[in-house]
Amino acid sequence: METPQISIVAPLYNESESFPHLVERLNALMDSCPISIEVVLIDDGSRDNTALMMRQVALTDPRYHCVFLSRNHGHQLALSAGIARARGSEGLFIIDGDLQDPPELLPEFYKLLKAGNDVVYAVRRKRKENMAKRTGYYLFYRLLKSISYIEIPLDSGDFSLISRRVADVLIKMPEESRYLRGMRTWIGFKQVGFEYERDERVAGESKYSLKQLFRLAYNGIFNFSEFPIKFMTNTGAVAILISLVYLIFVVIKKLFFNPVIEGFTALLFVVILFSGVQLLALGIIGEYVLRIFFQSKGRPLFIVKEEIVNREYI
């Protein structure tokens, strides 16, 4: 099989219910599209039949390139594994395996890529999640945009078409705590948004737990913003100012009014205030130290257990 023009990259974790729908729509896209396409599927340590179904399709259709990780590494690292293995000479089309990102939009994205853009990122017009999730996503993207030192687009996830040179740069970036949509923006080159309406999952439930969502949000904030450290600096300055004002108040009260100052309530207030500020500061510093600690180990970002390319095991 010749080198494909475009690689469609989709990480999968326990997606046996949606997998037949995914393959059906990808096959229809590849059959109707004049572009040479390969599909790179990454099994992120699934516990259901996802890996078996991937093997079956890869061994019967040479357009499918399947990568099996040694365990569950998480969505961002599984996606990084797919990007590292994709061979598309012109670009990589990144989607979710639950079909909330319609693969049929590839021709529209490809037109924008050929128009000279290196990144075509999808912008969600409308989400199908519940009100709490929609509100949380809405607030997070606007918070991140307001505090980030780069212009991360609003309401844009990993769904995108990136050029070959952007993919090559992403592969060289060694971050352990990865926030790919931020890394994609940081790289630069010409980038353009494409508005779409995000679909519902075709089957099954979301595999992103609340804990994983918070972890992803933390990676976005701590990897692409100086705000946490500056916030603690400003908080410390405010705390010192408050304490100085209170000290001046107490001295004036003692010198000119000479009351008997019991001080228990004031002392309790000061202890709680400064203890809280110190613990918050230690927590924020700890987030940075933790990232330095994991990065300094130099471990590989992911372990590939096996791989099927052109119906051959590697």
Side-chain angles (χ1 to χ4, degrees), residues 210-282:
L210 188 62
K211 179 181 178 181
Q212 290 172 319
L213 287 173
F214 270 108
R215 182 180 179 184
L216 183 64
Y218 278 16
N219 285 341
I221 292 171
F222 285 96
N223 289 359
F224 294 96
S225 174
E226 301 168 348
F227 176 78
I229 290 295
K230 290 184 176 179
F231 172 75
M232 282 316 308
T233 303
N234 294 334
T235 302
V238 171
I240 292 171
L241 181 62
I242 291 173
S243 63
L244 287 175
V245 170
Y246 183 74
L247 176 62
I248 293 171
F249 168 75
V250 170
V251 170
I252 293 174
K253 192 174 182 181
K254 178 68 175 177
L255 292 176
F256 295 98
F257 300 98
N258 199 28
V260 178
I261 302 175
E262 296 181 5
F264 176 77
T265 304
L267 180 62
L268 184 63
F269 166 74
V270 172
V271 169
I272 292 174
L273 174 64
F274 280 96
S275 297
V277 169
Q278 289 171 355
L279 288 174
L280 181 61
L282 286 174

Side-chain angles (χ1 to χ4, degrees), residues 121-124 137-146 151-157:
Y121 57 85
V123 179
R124 298 157 182 157
Y137 284 124
Y138 179 87
L139 294 176
F140 167 71
Y141 280 120
R142 280 144 188 83
L143 170 64
L144 183 59
K145 183 177 177 63
S146 67
E151 286 291 323
I152 298 178
L154 290 174
D155 304 317
S156 176

Side-chain angles (χ1 to χ4, degrees), residues 68-86:
F68 304 87
L69 301 185
S70 61
R71 63 171 177 83
N72 178 241
H73 286 73
H75 179 269
Q76 296 292 286
L77 292 180
L79 191 50
S80 298
I83 292 172
R85 291 302 197 274

Side-chain angles (χ1 to χ4, degrees), residues 58-107:
L59 292 173
T60 56
D61 192 335
R63 297 175 297 182
Y64 284 84
H65 176 174
C66 290
V67 179
F68 304 87
L69 301 185
S70 61
R71 63 171 177 83
N72 178 241
H73 286 73
H75 179 269
Q76 296 292 286
L77 292 180
L79 191 50
S80 298
I83 292 172
R85 291 302 197 274
R87 300 172 298 161
S89 60
E90 294 187 33
L92 279 61
F93 189 49
I94 298 168
I95 66 172
D96 278 343
D98 56 14
L99 291 173
Q100 287 188 287
D101 303 332
E104 293 82 5
L105 291 178
L106 173 58

